[in-house]
Amino acid sequence: MAISETDDDGNSIASFLDTINSSTSAIKGHVRLADKDDAGDFILFAITNTITDSGDFRQIPISNEAQGGSALTNGEDIIASFVVTGDKGD
């Protein structure tokens, strides 16, 4: 998955994404993508390896864990929520 290093307001999230990389656990954390207007429409992914810096965006290696509601569609306004796994919190 590719994600911009800035949010909708132009604020940098790069240092937060760097924090995820500091986890030594096999699963570094989880990211949940949800429809901004209907939180019941979501996809939950495990972050499975180190996040790669690709300039203005980051490449996040993921695997699908769960989903609910209706499928998210291209161009839909979403909220991305992250949870970091503690060191060796496997």
Side-chain angles (χ1 to χ4, degrees):
M1 170 174 70
I3 189 167
S4 175
E5 290 187 348
T6 57
D7 65 15
D8 281 349
D9 296 324
N11 301 306
S12 175
I13 63 167
S15 62
F16 173 75
L17 295 172
D18 290 338
T19 301
I20 296 171
N21 273 345
S22 68
S23 173
T24 58
S25 297
I27 300 296
K28 298 199 170 285
H30 290 84
V31 58
R32 183 179 188 267
L33 306 179
D35 182 335
K36 187 174 181 179
D37 298 318
D38 184 354
D41 297 344
F42 72 92
I43 304 173
L44 177 67
F45 299 100
I47 301 171
T48 58
N49 210 328
T50 303
I51 297 173
T52 305
D53 188 342
S54 297
D56 293 338
F57 66 97
R58 302 286 177 101
Q59 291 287 345
I60 304 175
I62 55 173
S63 65
N64 191 349
E65 295 261 311
Q67 61 189 43
S70 299
L72 300 176
T73 58
N74 191 25
E76 189 164 10
D77 202 6
I78 62 162
I79 296 174
S81 304
F82 292 86
V83 175
V84 180
T85 303
D87 286 346
K88 292 296 180 187
D90 298 339

